[in-house]
Amino acid sequence: MATIPITKRGAEKLKAELHKLKTVDRPWVINAIAEARAQGDLSENAEYEAAKDRQGFIEGRIQEVESKLSGSLVIDPSTLEAGGKVVFGATVELEDEVSGSIVKYQIVGEDEADLKLGLVNIGSPIARALIGKEEGDTAEVQTPGGVKHFEIVAVSYL
């Protein structure tokens, strides 16, 4: 199994989700199954079926999160020494060469990506175009609206 890069913040988020699944969601669904069983005939008990389905989802998600955490490589961007290059965890300020608009993105793992917050997945086209480049370089990114050119204004490791 390959290691999956994840930021320290992303790892904390997954650990919090795992804790909630094990301490809140799992006990709740076990209780719901017990209550449904107490109602009698299980063959026509919709609450029982719904609780069992929910239990399957929770157990599957627990396994998925545990697997991601065990196969992850936690990277703290503030400790990176990449010599100004764009690497995983770097925060990059870009200027669209056509419109002149400025955007800021941090390159993160798949589970923590959220474009609204400026967090882009390492596997996204924009992140792939930026990796290895430095301040002052131009990145060509294939977008649904066509090819865009961005100048790298600043690279930081926050």
Side-chain angles (χ1 to χ4, degrees):
M1 182 171 151
T3 58
I4 302 164
I6 189 169
T7 64
K8 191 174 177 184
R9 178 185 60 239
E12 295 298 323
K13 186 177 166 185
L14 281 178
K15 287 176 185 174
E17 180 185 358
L18 183 61
H19 179 74
K20 180 183 178 289
L21 285 167
K22 286 183 170 182
T23 61
V24 177
D25 296 348
R26 183 187 268 168
W28 177 85
V29 81
I30 289 170
N31 186 44
I33 290 171
E35 287 178 13
R37 276 193 179 137
Q39 294 176 6
D41 186 12
L42 297 180
S43 63
E44 295 181 16
N45 190 330
E47 287 86 14
Y48 177 77
E49 291 300 321
K52 289 297 281 183
D53 287 346
R54 181 78 180 142
Q55 181 183 37
F57 172 79
I58 290 169
E59 294 302 325
R61 185 64 184 155
I62 287 171
Q63 287 179 353
E64 182 181 356
V65 172
E66 285 177 339
S67 173
K68 286 179 181 184
L69 284 171
S70 69
S72 65
L73 173 62
V74 179
I75 297 173
D76 184 356
S78 64
T79 63
L80 292 176
E81 294 180 25
K85 289 192 183 269
V86 178
V87 295
F88 179 86
T91 301
V92 185
E93 193 171 315
L94 305 169
E95 180 179 355
D96 187 320
E97 290 187 343
V98 174
S99 70
S101 63
I102 303 280
V103 291
K104 192 183 241 185
Y105 296 121
Q106 181 181 18
I107 300 173
V108 297
E110 177 183 343
D111 289 308
E112 50 192 320
D114 186 345
L115 197 54
K116 292 175 186 167
L117 299 175
L119 304 172
V120 295
N121 181 354
I122 183 81
S124 68
I126 193 159
R128 289 194 316 263
L130 293 171
I131 294 292
K133 298 213 179 331
E134 298 176 340
E135 192 174 308
D137 288 351
T138 299
E140 187 175 288
V141 181
Q142 181 66 45
T143 68
V147 176
K148 287 195 171 194
H149 297 273
F150 293 97
E151 181 183 342
I152 300 173
V153 178
V155 178
S156 56
Y157 311 100
L158 308 172

